[in-house]
Amino acid sequence: RYVRQLQRLQLLFSPTAADSRGARQFVEEAAVDFARQHPDVVLYVSPRAGSAPLLLAEYLNGTVREELIASKTSEEIKQLATKLAGQSGLDIIRIRKPFHTDNPSVQGQWHPLTNKPSALTVQGPRLQLQ
Amino acid sequence: VAKTSLTSPPWPEVKLPDPVEEAKYHTEVVQKVNKMIATGQYGRLFAVVHFASKQWKITSEDLIMMDNVLEAECGDRIRMEKVLLVGADDFTLIGRPLLGKDLVRVEATVIEKTESWPKINMRFWRRHNYQRKKIIVNPQTVLRINTIEIFPCLS
């Protein structure tokens, strides 16, 4: 029961600019392999002239992450893409606890009165047989 | 001999029960627990697992984050060995220090492989014109514990 959190990967690059050479090589060589290895991710490739090459990743939460791929080799772009595919859409901020449970206590949470004899069993000066 | 304050030790003297009776009692308890496990009279199970050089107390359907890279891909099912303790509502099984693999089964799936938030590592000496800044990003993996199962093969 595993659902990949990445919805769409949009690759924007321009067919002539020099810094999107790695993006063009990636599209020629590795894009088809990537799409086959991750069958539940949709990969859009849109050549656009005039803007810097970008890799847009949309997740099921609705968060959109943009990564610049200007002057990067196609292998680096592939690694980036796999990294983005493994992430989920949560914000990358400091998390306070490395664990999260919905049911933290199974045998009942400890309070200072567990494992202590109750007032009925304690023998005091007044609670003897009358 | 007269009894002083140092004749007997200050802690209360504990009488150990007869070893034969103890063995009988032990077998009784073990059979009871086995029966309970076989009939399935336990509710939620929790376990203490040693994983990634840390000990975690886990139940089913909960999330755990490691600060390293596992060799499994996203969506892989992982079986965790090195279980130290298993407990339910009425009984607990304590291992010395580990429990057997044919007793407990803990399964988890790799959900996410991300990187941590960018941590800043800066060194600065005053009046010496020395400062170095480095941004450290650790790879992390997130696991979700699917099931914890026990089998009635105590002895």
Side-chain angles (χ1 to χ4, degrees):
Chain A
R1 315 176 287 160
Y2 168 67
V3 177
R4 195 183 294 277
Q5 296 282 328
L6 186 64
Q7 249 183 328
R8 287 191 277 271
L9 259 184
Q10 278 182 330
L11 189 56
L12 307 171
F13 65 102
S14 82
T16 41
D19 44 1
S20 43
R21 179 168 60 117
R24 271 173 269 149
Q25 274 179 350
F26 173 75
V27 164
E28 283 163 30
E29 295 155 17
V32 182
D33 299 328
F34 179 79
R36 281 214 196 102
Q37 275 162 14
H38 306 260
D40 36 354
V41 175
V42 192
L43 180 63
Y44 293 99
V45 175
S46 54
R48 200 179 295 180
S51 61
L54 269 185
L55 188 57
L56 270 178
E58 282 178 51
Y59 293 97
L60 292 172
N61 310 21
T63 43
V64 179
R65 264 195 82 178
E66 295 171 354
E67 304 256 345
L68 273 188
I69 41 177
S71 7
K72 277 194 183 162
T73 55
S74 71
E75 283 181 11
E76 286 176 13
I77 297 174
K78 193 174 161 190
Q79 277 168 16
L80 244 188
T82 39
K83 186 193 91 165
L84 286 173
Q87 281 176 342
S88 86
L90 301 164
D91 293 330
I92 299 187
I93 47 170
R94 181 180 84 97
I95 33 154
R96 290 164 216 246
K97 298 189 235 186
F99 45 83
H100 171 80
T101 38
D102 286 323
N103 307 64
S105 85
V106 169
Q107 291 177 356
Q109 206 171 20
W110 184 89
H111 52 91
L113 293 171
T114 50
N115 300 335
K116 288 258 169 94
S118 68
L120 296 167
T121 52
V122 164
Q123 273 199 343
R126 283 188 205 164
L127 288 175
Q128 282 165 356
L129 298 168
Q130 286 171 353
Chain B
V1 181
K3 284 208 170 170
T4 57
S5 64
L6 290 177
T7 42
S8 62
W11 49 83
E13 198 187 316
V14 173
K15 273 191 185 170
L16 288 176
D18 212 12
V20 173
E21 280 179 21
E22 256 214 82
K24 265 197 232 167
Y25 182 64
H26 281 332
T27 44
E28 253 189 66
V29 168
V30 162
Q31 272 166 24
K32 254 196 198 173
V33 171
N34 247 339
K35 255 192 230 170
M36 276 182 76
I37 299 174
T39 51
Q41 282 173 19
Y42 47 84
R44 219 164 160 106
L45 279 177
F46 72 92
V48 171
V49 154
H50 188 282
F51 197 65
S53 78
K54 280 180 279 274
Q55 297 187 2
W56 312 81
K57 181 198 144 280
I58 49 180
T59 49
S60 50
E61 314 159 9
D62 70 349
L63 290 168
I64 277 185
M65 178 126 102
M66 322 261 136
D67 220 2
N68 56 4
V69 171
L70 286 172
E71 279 174 3
E73 294 298 325
C74 288
D76 281 355
R77 232 177 137 106
I78 288 182
R79 196 211 153 165
M80 290 210 222
E81 294 149 16
K82 285 201 216 171
V83 180
L84 297 136
L85 222 200
V86 161
D89 209 5
D90 294 323
F91 60 89
T92 40
L93 302 166
I94 309 177
R96 291 186 190 179
L98 295 178
L99 287 172
K101 284 194 218 172
D102 46 348
L103 247 192
V104 198
R105 195 182 165 89
V106 180
E107 296 215 329
T109 27
V110 182
I111 287 187
E112 199 187 319
K113 286 192 182 183
T114 55
E115 301 192 332
S116 71
W117 67 300
K119 301 188 194 176
I120 301 176
N121 182 15
M122 182 137 176
R123 288 182 281 187
F124 179 80
W125 277 350
R126 52 186 175 184
R127 298 185 296 270
H128 286 262
N129 194 18
Y130 173 75
Q131 52 178 349
R132 304 276 181 268
K133 187 166 173 182
K134 191 173 170 184
I135 297 184
I136 298 181
V137 178
N138 295 323
Q140 289 169 337
T141 31
V142 179
L143 297 175
R144 189 179 278 274
I145 312 290
N146 294 120
T147 48
I148 306 178
E149 293 158 4
I150 42 174
F151 310 108
C153 33
L154 294 168
S155 67

